[in-house]
Amino acid sequence: MLNKIWDPKTARILFTALIFALGLAFLHAARQTLILFLFAILFAYFVAPLVSLLEKPLRGRVKAIGAVYLILIALLVGLGFLVGPKIAGEGTALAASLPSLLDKAGSGALVSQVGQKHGWSEARQAQIQSFFISHKNDILGYGRAIGQKLAEPAQHIWWLILIPILGIFFLKDGQSIGENLVALGHAPGVRETLRGIVGDVNGMLGSYIRAQLILASLTMVAYTLALSILHLRYALILGPLAGIFEFVPVVGPAVAAIIVFVIAVLTSYSHLIWLVLFLGIWRLVQDYVNAPRIMGKSLEISPLVQILAVLAGGEIAGVVGALISVPAAATLRILWKRLTSEKAGDAPVAPIAGEMSAH
């Protein structure tokens, strides 16, 4: 009777499903710690080329890591002295004026100011005012929601200390970590597949992080200079903010442009046409000139998949999840490609990590 009730095959399936569910539960419970380690790995990929460049002249990887960290600290201190007070002043002013600006938008008073500057008719002003007044609660609600989302990373401000510390270990032991992962395979074919996965992920992450850093830097400089020339208020805040949003593919740049435009409208900026022209032209230059040359084919995933990954990452882990969602999706693509290939040699095997450096 017991043999009829107990089916070994069914039991194995149920046990596998239970282990899988427990694994997902662990990943969800430890997601903050895992995200912290992911950021440390991404930081290591960012500084790895400079470490490799200095390793031979300084005769040691540890010395090279120390030198790179000293250079980064010196750069941060220098930038802090040069532009830190101005950025802090603009940030304080924006934070103080934002609530009153949102109230003006909700009450319709802002429409009158913008309408008078641009010569709108009274009927048109009244129509737009009526829309804003009827949707006041929605406008204020969206404003608060966006503010809360943007403030989420501030809750992890201490990560700015932990990430570089953890990054030291990944920079120092990156190659041995990669070799240990490959050694998990017992059969030669399995080891070859693992070597291919580790090499592919290593090459993809190195190329992606460096490309994103260059694109983000270009956006930060372009926005800061253009907005300063156009005399838009808070240019020193909006420029770096646009650079940060550039790290979120597809969605991030659009959000940055909307934020800049909304701030311009809320502050009654009088040259909106020139601002819109800059935002449109820069997006075209970045997407069709800079990105193809700099990014190349490091991801090999479509823009639609990138959008889905960003939205899913944002839903799971907020702003932080959106930042790491695209490289995570690209890693899953590599895993699928390698694990479903008929032969281990179907795809070329990239060099292994620790060369977290040499790509």
Side-chain angles (χ1 to χ4, degrees), residues 147-316:
Q148 289 171 358
K149 284 290 183 183
L150 293 177
E152 279 181 6
Q155 299 172 4
H156 304 291
I157 195 71
W158 53 278
W159 283 14
L160 294 177
I161 298 172
L162 282 180
I163 287 172
I165 293 173
L166 293 173
I168 292 173
F169 296 99
F170 289 113
L171 286 167
K172 179 176 174 290
D173 302 320
Q175 186 169 3
S176 61
I177 291 171
E179 294 292 353
N180 289 335
L181 288 173
V182 172
L184 292 175
H186 298 293
V190 176
R191 284 196 296 272
E192 189 69 15
T193 300
L194 287 174
R195 182 176 294 276
I197 291 171
V198 172
D200 286 350
V201 171
N202 177 51
M204 179 273 294
L205 285 178
S207 300
Y208 175 77
I209 293 302
R210 287 187 282 277
Q212 283 297 104
L213 180 70
I214 294 170
L215 292 172
S217 300
L218 289 172
T219 294
M220 182 185 70
V221 172
Y223 266 68
T224 303
L225 289 177
L227 299 183
S228 298
I229 292 170
L230 292 171
H231 299 291
L232 179 64
R233 292 173 64 184
Y234 314 121
L236 292 179
I237 293 292
L238 296 175
L241 187 65
I244 292 171
F245 272 102
E246 193 73 30
F247 279 100
V248 182
V250 185
V251 177
V255 173
I258 291 170
I259 290 174
V260 170
F261 182 78
V262 169
I263 292 294
V265 172
L266 291 176
T267 54
S268 303
Y269 183 64
S270 56
H271 302 294
L272 288 176
I273 294 176
W274 288 108
L275 178 64
V276 171
L277 279 174
F278 161 70
L279 294 174
I281 291 171
W282 176 251
R283 199 66 258 149
L284 291 173
V285 170
Q286 191 78 323
D287 288 343
Y288 295 101
V289 179
N290 295 336
R293 292 172 180 270
I294 296 169
M295 186 72 71
K297 296 183 178 180
S298 59
L299 292 179
E300 295 185 14
I301 55 177
S302 69
L304 178 60
V305 174
Q306 293 183 40
I307 293 172
L308 290 173
V310 170
L311 294 177
E315 187 69 25
I316 295 169

Side-chain angles (χ1 to χ4, degrees), residues 308-354:
L308 290 173
V310 170
L311 294 177
E315 187 69 25
I316 295 169
V319 176
V320 174
L323 286 171
I324 64 172
S325 58
V326 171
T331 300
L332 291 175
R333 186 199 67 81
I334 289 171
L335 288 171
W336 175 261
K337 183 179 178 181
R338 285 285 180 177
L339 294 176
T340 56
S341 61
E342 294 182 3
K343 298 179 181 179
D346 280 356
V349 178
I352 217 162

Side-chain angles (χ1 to χ4, degrees), residues 10-34:
T10 304
R12 284 196 298 271
I13 293 172
L14 290 174
F15 181 73
T16 303
L18 177 62
I19 294 297
F20 185 72
L22 289 174
L24 288 177
F26 169 76
L27 290 175
H28 183 267
R31 65 187 183 280
Q32 296 295 338
T33 302
L34 294 174

Side-chain angles (χ1 to χ4, degrees), residues 128-146:
I128 299 174
Q129 270 185 338
S130 175
F131 172 82
F132 274 99
I133 291 171
S134 62
H135 293 81
K136 178 178 179 179
N137 292 333
D138 294 333
I139 293 170
L140 295 177
Y142 284 129
R144 293 190 195 97
I146 292 171

